[in-house]
Amino acid sequence: MATEAAVAQLLATARKGFQQAGVACEVVERRGNPAFVICDVADESGADVIVAASRDAAVDDRKPTMASQVIRLTPCPVLAAP
């Protein structure tokens, strides 16, 4: 499990990268099942789309990934990028 310092550094790096690319972003840090948390934040913020990285090109019920769980649970469209 990642330490709080490692998580803070990762989020700071992500924020900086988005800002340098001219993309507005808000960093949200929460604990819990990633798919559930992502869907909750999307719902609460009124997100138009969720962009999620995925290692698999297909949704497979036999081995669910975080991206496939988000696709099933989300209140909005999902762009799953390999």
Side-chain angles (χ1 to χ4, degrees):
M1 182 184 262
T3 66
E4 288 185 31
V7 171
Q9 179 61 43
L10 177 66
L11 292 175
T13 300
R15 174 183 280 157
K16 183 177 179 181
F18 280 112
Q19 289 173 338
Q20 288 175 341
V23 177
C25 73
E26 177 183 347
V27 175
V28 177
E29 181 181 353
R30 292 196 186 164
R31 294 180 188 262
N33 176 301
F36 294 149
V37 170
I38 289 167
C39 291
D40 286 346
V41 171
D43 188 39
E44 292 165 10
S45 67
D48 295 321
V49 66
I50 295 171
V51 179
S54 177
R55 286 178 255 176
D56 297 319
V59 174
D60 186 348
D61 288 327
R62 294 169 292 173
K63 58 173 196 166
T65 63
M66 186 277 303
S68 68
Q69 290 175 342
V70 169
I71 289 168
R72 284 188 179 80
L73 299 169
T74 186
C76 63
V78 176
L79 172 62

